[in-house]
Amino acid sequence: MTAWISGVFSSIFGQNSWLATMIISMIPIIEVKGAIPFGASVEFWGNNALSAGESFVWAVVGSSIIVPIIALLFRPIINAMKTSKGLNKIANVIEKKVSSGARKIKNNSENAYKKVLLKMLGVFVFVAIPLPMTGVWTGTCIGVYSGLKLWQTTLSVVVGNLVASVLLVTICSAFPSLVTYMFVIVMAIVVIYITVLILKILFSKKDKEEKINDSN
């Protein structure tokens, strides 16, 4: 399997493991959790594998670049998707998940400064924990939905992403034999999550159709 993955990425990126690492870090769900071990994997890249530190740098650069872009475009894209019959269900599922996360970091403080600070702290902590679905994409969207300004969301997410990346690169440096497995596990989680999301959308559509038929 590693040979097949190595062949696919080598055919696309050649020997530029740094470029592959940076681009992969921009992909939702995968992000630095998959990009750092991927770039440092000798099984994938051979002599072109990055050091843990180099992989850290390129993964952080790639995942940080997209934060303000996501913050600016998320709401317009979701609103546009809602107007499409084919994409509105996907938009609703995404919005429901993000709004749920935003509610968790809200607080009832009457002090406006404290309220903003606690929201930023909540986004930071959310992104800083390197677990599935706690990366820059979800964190940025939560920041937007919680009412944070662009710079507040960007700062919270980027700093949280740095902390998560430090934790990941520490693990990669301490356990180099596990680097490839870490990437494979992340990819498996991505496949499972997408499958569950698709099934959820399909079943939601089916339930709605059944309710309409029953009412008729």
Side-chain angles (χ1 to χ4, degrees), residues 1-9 41 43-45 180-181 183-184:
M1 181 178 179
T2 56
W4 178 80
I5 295 175
S6 176
V8 170
F9 282 98
S41 173
E43 285 82 357
F44 291 146
W45 293 105
T180 302
Y181 295 107
F183 176 75
V184 173

Side-chain angles (χ1 to χ4, degrees), residues 48-212:
N48 296 313
L50 302 173
S51 67
E54 291 171 332
S55 189
F56 164 84
V57 170
W58 290 113
V60 169
V61 168
S63 56
S64 298
I65 287 174
I66 61 171
V67 173
I69 299 173
I70 299 169
L72 289 170
L73 299 181
F74 177 67
R75 279 189 182 275
I77 290 175
I78 287 294
N79 291 335
M81 289 173 66
K82 286 181 178 180
T83 63
S84 170
K85 290 184 178 180
L87 299 175
N88 63 337
K89 293 186 180 299
I90 298 175
N92 289 333
V93 171
I94 295 173
E95 188 174 48
K96 183 177 179 181
K97 180 175 180 58
V98 171
S99 60
S100 175
R103 285 194 296 271
K104 291 179 181 178
I105 67 170
K106 285 187 176 180
N107 59 85
N108 298 319
S109 173
E110 295 182 0
N111 186 300
Y113 176 78
K114 184 178 179 180
K115 181 178 288 188
V116 170
L117 191 61
L118 289 173
K119 285 182 180 180
M120 292 178 67
L121 180 61
V123 172
F124 160 78
V125 172
F126 179 86
V127 178
I129 302 173
L131 295 174
M133 300 307 300
T134 62
V136 298
W137 280 79
T138 308
T140 302
C141 296
I142 288 175
V144 170
Y145 260 73
S146 67
L148 291 176
K149 295 179 180 179
L150 175 62
W151 73 266
Q152 294 167 343
T153 297
T154 301
L155 178 61
S156 304
V157 173
V158 169
V159 176
N161 191 46
L162 279 170
V163 173
S165 299
V166 168
L167 293 174
L168 288 164
V169 80
T170 300
I171 295 172
C172 289
S173 299
F175 306 100
S177 60
L178 299 179
V179 167
T180 302
Y181 295 107
M182 289 171 63
F183 176 75
V184 173
I185 290 172
V186 170
M187 293 305 298
I189 291 172
V190 171
V191 172
I192 293 171
Y193 178 80
I194 293 175
T195 302
V196 171
L197 180 63
I198 292 173
L199 290 175
K200 185 175 182 179
I201 293 170
L202 291 176
F203 279 114
S204 174
K205 182 179 180 181
K206 184 178 179 181
D207 291 341
K208 186 175 182 180
E209 291 175 348
E210 289 178 350
K211 290 180 180 179
I212 293 173

Side-chain angles (χ1 to χ4, degrees), residues 10-30:
S10 294
S11 64
I12 298 173
F13 297 101
Q15 299 179 350
N16 300 310
S17 53
W18 65 272
L19 181 60
T21 301
M22 185 172 69
I23 291 177
I24 287 175
S25 71
M26 299 179 180
I27 301 175
I29 309 176
I30 301 178

